[in-house]
Amino acid sequence: MTISTVLEVAIGLMLIYYALGLIVNLAVGVIKNLLDMRAEALEPVVKLLLQTDEDWLFHQFMDRPLMRNLIPITSKAFQLVNRQDGQRKSSEIPPGTFSLALLDTLATPELVAKGVRRAIERLAAELPDGSAAIMVPLQELEAADLAKGLSAAIDQMAAGPVQDRLTELRDLLVGRPEQQLDLIRVGVQGLPASGVKSALLSMIDFNINDVKEVRGRLESWYDDMMKNVTLLFTKTVRKWVIAVSLLITLIVGADSITIAQALWEQPARRAAVAAAVPAMLTEFGKGE
């Protein structure tokens, strides 16, 4: 027994299992794409993040143009997971895209109209019956007619704080750029009572001066939640790595004792292994 023989056997074992590791890595990579693992881990976390009644906010968010542009163009034929619409899901959502798409969702006319109607309802509850009667019909108007209804109510109101507030609400529906932050706030108010509504209100109403600050908080919130995606994805991939490794080990009959014995007893194989080491080191150097 010599030290060089022991080293050659050890190196031979390392090379063989390195090659098997590459095969496992390639096989798991194919499985990840076929099963859309990253997307399958991402969707439930985003859905939980934006959870409301009947997942309205989640579906509106995913239907934004910014989000639809993230959908891979690979057809359903190249995956095993069935999609009702024949499309794959987004496997990654950049924080900037998340914040922009969410703010775009919160500023949709339907949601803003809901928020305005709720603001009118709260305002009417604080007024005398005569003034409140003017605003009651506004709560039944659709989004397309609400701005006109507010204009009519403003004309009937005496000058004062109530008329000013109704004017502000009408301007929000018209969509003036200087009121973008107020538009987002009203959109959040239009959401049904939920955890995401409380979270958004706390982020938007606490010392916020412009939309840029809102985006920064939304992106930090999203980054924190994406840690759950990473954990879920890693856990799923780890299971597949173990399963594929066991399968390949059984198929090729990778027995360390048998391999080591063969290398020990056959100098030609040890020499071939030793000759392969410089090429392997060169490849490692290229990877760096």
Side-chain angles (χ1 to χ4, degrees):
M1 177 186 295
T2 63
I3 295 178
S4 62
T5 301
V6 173
L7 288 175
E8 288 174 354
V9 171
I11 292 172
L13 286 171
M14 285 189 291
L15 284 176
I16 290 171
Y17 281 105
Y18 173 72
L20 291 175
L22 291 178
I23 295 172
V24 170
N25 187 57
L26 178 62
V28 172
V30 172
I31 292 172
K32 284 193 295 185
N33 288 330
L34 289 176
L35 298 182
D36 228 359
M37 286 186 188
R38 178 73 185 182
E40 291 299 314
L42 177 63
E43 183 177 282
V45 174
V46 176
K47 184 177 288 188
L48 180 64
L49 191 68
L50 303 178
Q51 188 173 34
T52 56
D53 293 344
E54 299 180 354
D55 293 324
W56 181 90
L57 180 59
F58 170 76
H59 292 302
Q60 291 291 319
F61 170 80
M62 296 302 294
D63 199 44
R64 295 294 96 193
L66 281 169
M67 295 303 303
R68 296 189 68 82
N69 287 340
L70 295 178
I71 297 175
I73 60 174
T74 308
S75 68
K76 190 167 63 175
F78 292 96
Q79 59 178 346
L80 296 180
V81 179
N82 292 322
R83 302 277 182 256
Q84 292 182 355
D85 57 2
Q87 292 180 319
R88 301 184 70 172
K89 299 177 183 178
S90 302
S91 59
E92 185 175 358
I93 304 174
T97 302
F98 172 83
S99 63
L100 283 174
L102 182 55
L103 292 180
D104 186 34
T105 306
L106 294 174
T108 53
E110 180 183 353
L111 195 56
V112 172
K114 286 182 180 179
V116 168
R117 283 194 289 267
R118 289 180 181 176
I120 292 171
E121 183 181 357
R122 290 194 299 271
L123 188 60
E126 300 172 1
L127 296 176
D129 293 341
S131 299
I134 298 175
M135 290 187 287
V136 168
L138 298 176
Q139 301 171 32
E140 306 298 329
L141 294 177
E142 297 295 330
D145 301 322
L146 191 53
K148 292 181 180 179
L150 278 168
S151 295
I154 291 168
D155 293 338
Q156 298 178 53
M157 285 284 179
V162 176
Q163 188 187 63
D164 293 341
R165 178 55 179 159
L166 291 178
T167 302
E168 291 175 2
L169 294 174
R170 182 194 60 188
D171 290 344
L172 284 174
L173 292 170
V174 174
R176 295 187 178 179
E178 65 271 14
Q179 293 183 310
Q180 189 176 9
L181 187 57
D182 291 331
L183 188 70
I184 294 168
R185 287 193 175 104
V186 170
V188 175
Q189 291 289 353
L191 293 171
S194 58
V196 64
K197 180 177 181 178
S198 300
L200 289 171
L201 285 175
S202 64
M203 283 187 283
I204 291 173
D205 288 340
F206 186 72
N207 292 331
I208 285 292
N209 298 314
D210 56 40
V211 176
K212 184 177 179 180
E213 291 183 46
V214 176
R215 285 195 60 193
R217 293 190 180 186
L218 289 176
E219 289 168 15
S220 297
W221 181 48
Y222 174 75
D223 284 336
D224 290 340
M225 288 299 295
M226 284 306 99
K227 295 175 183 177
N228 294 330
V229 175
T230 302
L231 290 174
L232 183 59
F233 178 66
T234 302
K235 183 178 179 180
T236 303
V237 171
R238 188 181 296 120
K239 292 178 180 178
W240 276 102
V241 168
I242 293 173
V244 173
S245 299
L246 290 174
L247 180 62
I248 291 177
T249 299
L250 292 173
I251 291 174
V252 304
D255 184 343
S256 299
I257 296 176
T258 302
I259 295 172
Q261 185 176 1
L263 290 172
W264 185 273
E265 295 175 350
Q266 300 178 37
R269 290 190 177 182
R270 293 202 306 272
V273 169
V277 172
M280 182 183 69
L281 294 177
T282 301
E283 289 298 320
F284 280 145
K286 291 180 181 178
E288 295 175 357

